[in-house]
Amino acid sequence: MAEEFQVIIGLEVHCQLNTKSKLFCGCSADFRADAPNTHVCPVCLGLPGALPVLNKKAVEYALKVAKALNCTIPEEGEFCRKNYFYPDLVKAYQITMGDDPLAIGGYIEIEDDAGNPKVVNLTRIHVEEDPGRLVHMGNKERGYYTLVDYNRSGIPLIEMVTEPEMSSPKEARRLLNKLRATLEYLDVFDPEKEGSLRVDANISIKGHERVEIKNITSYKGVEKALTFEITRQKNLIRRGGRIVRETRHFQEGKGTTTSARSKETANDYRYFPEPDLPVIRVADWVKDIELPELPDARRDRFMSQYGIAVNHARTLTGDLKLAEFYETIAPVGAALAASWTADILMGELNYRDMHVSEVAGHADQFAELIGLVRDKKITDKAGVEVLRVWLDALHTEAKSEAPSAIVERLGLARESGESFRGIVEAILEKNPQAVADHKAGKKGALNFIVGQVMKETKGKSDPREIHAMISEILGE
Amino acid sequence: MITEEDVIQIAGLADLSVPQGELTAFTGSFNAILEYFDILDTLEIEGSLERKLFNVFREDEVTESLSQEDALKNSHNPEEGYIRAPKVV
């Protein structure tokens, strides 16, 4: 019996804006490398009598995002106090926006799981302050306690809320990738800073209560958290159980979610207008905001300017640094460079947990490598080998060795097929069964032979040449 | 009309407990305060609610923060620059 479970997902994405100073005071927002409680002042410590004053740049950045995401800016926006009692909040309230946010509506275009275009609508975007950072300490024997660092208190955030319109964890992941790329292109946040993009997800099975998952600190964890939660909810329903409307925390290490205590979920924030901040009227600023080329436009340009395939163009423009990297090496041969960057380099980078920014300074060397492949100085296989050696040296020793030097050092230069004739003949002789299979018309039998030759020649031979030579030897 | 249950709930949200003997007094005080709003509601405010103050900003400029020593002056028993708080999870 097939069971129909329709999954409904909505996201709340928090992004730290990369302003120089905090949202309501002049404390430096560049706090990550510094000692705790050294980027604080009476305002962000919530000391009596201190008054917040809004950072204009934060509003401009938020409007830039709103424009890029096709939002409407209401005539008036108003800050509110969201009251809750927790040590990460100095004032026992967070300054955020309530019924009158900065922006409403808007949408993000993604692809659904079948590869068709899909529009996910946005509910709103608002500006708010980041709370402080808590470190949970202690043990069973000596008791538990909490350490608080208010350096993060008051860092400007925008919260972007989507409608519950995604229907799989993969769609949610694609939306986040698109959003992350857009924010990066807009130059309003730094994706390499830990915790600069944080996600809460609402997820439900149609006809059942929804669950909010908090604490997803790596946006790559979103797909994992949602996948786990769908399985949990489906199993619960299959067993005849009921989904409880609740907040659950994602445990990054275990890849599971656990129920938060009901006290933390008490949704009684008693919002009221922030009396210390006048309203904002910024709708007419939007027309003066100039947007840079955004990921979709760049993808389309890559396809028309470089004549590359849509999947390559999409991968290459999904990350600003990657797109810039590709454009510097494209002159070596646009199609070859696209394939070597999007397919091969990205795979090798991911395998090493590296980011393209770590090789961006050596784009000329990567271009040299592609040139060696293009000019048939080395085979594709040897090219991959050179790439690995090159990346390992960059990664582990921060040493950059020219690909041509690596080819020389490891003796990977391509040699013409003729010099391998002896090896080919010997391998054919050693594998009469494969030859017989091939003659009997079995597809792929020759591939085994070619593979053996490649191995024997350490990748210096060209598989197409070897193929041709085998056919010739076998008198075909 | 504020009830004793409302007072207990509001106190709970602030992590406060209300001593049993004082619950009635607090409930009375809450109601007395809210009654002032009945007086405010009698005012003629038509047209006077227009906001004359809006768009008050500061430029994105960094100013000096407190020293860690000053920042921790009101903290009992800080630990390595952090403020110590009771267990929260």
Side-chain angles (χ1 to χ4, degrees):
Chain A
M1 192 180 75
E3 285 172 285
E4 282 293 315
F5 289 115
Q6 194 185 328
V7 174
I8 305 165
I9 296 167
L11 298 177
E12 293 171 14
V13 186
H14 294 87
C15 168
Q16 284 182 343
L17 302 173
N18 60 354
T19 52
K20 293 191 191 76
S21 64
K22 290 187 178 181
L23 185 56
F24 298 119
C25 63
C27 286
S28 163
D30 186 13
F31 64 91
R32 280 178 174 75
D34 294 331
N37 297 306
T38 54
H39 290 240
V40 291
C41 73
V43 173
C44 59
L45 281 178
L47 298 184
L51 286 174
V53 187
L54 184 56
N55 184 337
K56 190 177 181 186
K57 189 61 112 194
V59 176
E60 287 170 353
Y61 280 2
L63 282 175
K64 206 168 160 186
V65 175
K67 185 170 185 174
L69 300 180
N70 320 292
C71 302
T72 304
I73 312 300
E75 202 46 50
E76 196 166 279
E78 182 177 65
F79 284 92
C80 280
R81 294 185 178 181
K82 177 182 180 179
N83 298 277
Y84 67 93
F85 187 81
Y86 206 63
D88 63 356
L89 278 186
V90 274
K91 308 183 291 299
Y93 60 83
Q94 179 192 28
I95 303 179
T96 175
M97 301 178 95
D99 292 338
D100 297 304
L102 181 92
I104 53 173
Y107 59 88
I108 298 175
E109 287 177 83
I110 58 166
E111 282 132 44
D112 65 15
D113 289 347
N116 299 315
K118 171 168 180 165
V119 166
V120 175
N121 290 291
L122 295 178
T123 315
R124 56 185 280 159
I125 299 177
H126 66 255
V127 180
E128 64 184 25
E129 56 178 345
D130 212 346
R133 186 174 65 92
L134 302 182
V135 186
H136 303 293
M137 301 290 288
N139 55 47
K140 225 178 220 163
E141 285 74 40
R142 299 174 57 202
Y144 294 93
Y145 59 101
T146 307
L147 293 180
V148 195
D149 170 15
Y150 288 118
N151 283 349
R152 200 181 67 183
S153 167
I155 295 291
L157 294 178
I158 46 172
E159 178 175 337
M160 295 156 282
V161 184
T162 78
E163 291 289 306
E165 294 180 343
M166 283 154 281
S167 43
S168 76
K170 284 203 160 59
E171 270 186 26
R173 173 78 185 267
R174 277 195 287 274
L175 181 117
L176 276 176
N177 283 342
K178 186 62 165 294
L179 187 56
R180 191 199 63 82
T182 305
L183 294 166
E184 190 188 7
Y185 276 58
L186 291 170
D187 197 19
V188 297
F189 100 121
D190 186 343
E192 282 170 51
K193 282 186 180 157
E194 193 197 341
S196 57
L197 201 70
R198 306 195 295 268
V199 182
D200 297 341
N202 288 300
I203 178 162
S204 64
I205 307 285
K206 197 175 182 182
H208 299 270
E209 285 286 359
R210 79 181 151 89
V211 167
E212 183 175 15
I213 312 172
K214 280 192 178 286
N215 201 29
I216 310 178
T217 45
S218 88
Y219 60 94
K220 284 175 185 165
V222 170
E223 193 179 331
K224 224 160 98 182
L226 289 171
T227 305
F228 172 85
E229 189 56 24
I230 289 169
T231 309
R232 188 190 71 85
Q233 293 186 16
K234 280 181 181 173
N235 287 342
L236 193 57
I237 294 166
R238 282 202 193 97
R239 288 199 303 269
R242 242 190 62 224
I243 309 290
V244 190
R245 185 167 181 152
E246 62 174 346
T247 298
R248 298 179 69 85
H249 282 171
F250 179 53
Q251 314 293 329
E252 187 94 46
K254 293 184 227 158
T256 61
T257 67
T258 50
S259 184
R261 290 187 312 167
S262 62
K263 197 175 167 188
E264 287 171 47
T265 67
N267 202 8
D268 197 350
Y269 293 128
R270 294 151 295 151
Y271 279 85
F272 64 89
E274 166 58 86
D276 290 341
L277 289 166
V279 297
I280 52 173
R281 292 182 186 166
V282 292
D284 60 343
W285 292 9
V286 176
K287 62 179 189 312
D288 298 324
I289 295 174
E290 281 185 39
L291 294 178
E293 182 183 45
L294 292 172
D296 284 353
R298 197 162 199 164
R299 177 200 61 205
D300 295 344
R301 177 168 65 79
F302 274 21
M303 290 167 69
S304 58
Q305 182 178 342
Y306 299 114
I308 61 176
V310 63
N311 60 330
H312 281 158
R314 193 181 292 128
T315 303
L316 293 171
T317 55
D319 181 308
L320 180 62
K321 301 267 172 20
L322 184 62
E324 288 170 347
F325 179 77
Y326 172 71
E327 294 217 73
T328 62
I329 60 163
V332 76
L336 195 62
S339 156
W340 271 82
T341 307
D343 300 333
I344 302 169
L345 177 64
M346 287 307 284
E348 296 294 331
L349 287 175
N350 287 339
Y351 177 73
R352 288 164 181 75
D353 217 4
M354 290 173 77
H355 185 256
V356 66
S357 56
E358 292 171 68
V359 298
H362 309 285
D364 54 332
Q365 292 191 336
F366 187 64
E368 187 201 347
L369 169 60
I370 297 171
L372 292 173
V373 174
R374 179 198 60 198
D375 299 339
K376 300 205 185 303
K377 298 267 171 48
I378 53 176
T379 63
D380 287 0
K381 191 167 185 283
V384 174
E385 180 61 26
V386 172
L387 176 62
R388 287 175 181 159
V389 171
W390 181 69
L391 281 178
D392 283 339
L394 270 180
H395 191 42
T396 55
E397 309 161 49
K399 194 181 91 188
S400 66
E401 187 179 6
S404 52
I406 296 172
V407 170
E408 180 90 359
R409 182 161 63 82
L410 301 179
L412 289 169
R414 180 171 174 276
E415 292 173 23
S416 88
E418 277 315 304
S419 54
F420 301 123
R421 186 171 284 271
I423 293 173
V424 173
E425 284 170 348
I427 287 172
L428 283 171
E429 208 156 299
K430 259 189 262 169
N431 295 280
Q433 189 57 47
V435 174
D437 286 349
H438 169 66
K439 288 197 162 154
K442 191 173 168 194
K443 280 204 174 120
L446 268 193
N447 290 345
F448 172 75
I449 303 280
V450 176
Q452 291 295 305
V453 176
M454 295 292 292
K455 204 169 150 191
E456 191 75 14
T457 60
K458 300 189 176 67
K460 288 187 281 189
S461 56
D462 183 315
R464 274 161 303 210
E465 262 188 11
I466 299 300
H467 244 287
M469 190 187 298
I470 292 170
S471 297
E472 183 219 308
I473 292 170
L474 295 177
E476 289 166 357
Chain B
M1 186 63 186
I2 296 286
T3 64
E4 293 190 349
E5 285 72 42
D6 291 331
V7 175
I8 290 169
Q9 199 217 341
I10 291 164
L13 289 169
D15 208 17
L16 296 170
S17 59
V18 185
Q20 199 56 42
E22 295 174 37
L23 189 55
T24 316
F26 271 116
T27 310
S29 303
F30 268 55
N31 277 308
I33 291 166
L34 288 176
E35 273 164 26
Y36 286 116
F37 288 90
D38 293 337
I39 301 170
L40 292 174
D41 281 344
T42 64
L43 290 172
E44 279 297 329
I45 51 168
E46 198 72 25
S48 62
L49 270 183
E50 198 204 332
R51 284 157 159 156
K52 294 192 176 65
L53 191 63
F54 58 89
N55 287 0
V56 177
F57 297 107
R58 40 174 281 273
E59 294 303 317
D60 184 26
E61 282 160 8
V62 174
T63 55
E64 206 175 327
S65 298
L66 295 174
S67 67
Q68 191 187 59
E69 191 192 351
D70 279 346
L72 297 175
K73 269 188 180 157
N74 291 311
S75 168
H76 306 289
N77 195 16
E79 183 174 316
E80 289 174 11
Y82 289 90
I83 292 166
R84 259 177 95 111
K87 168 196 168 202
V88 287
V89 283

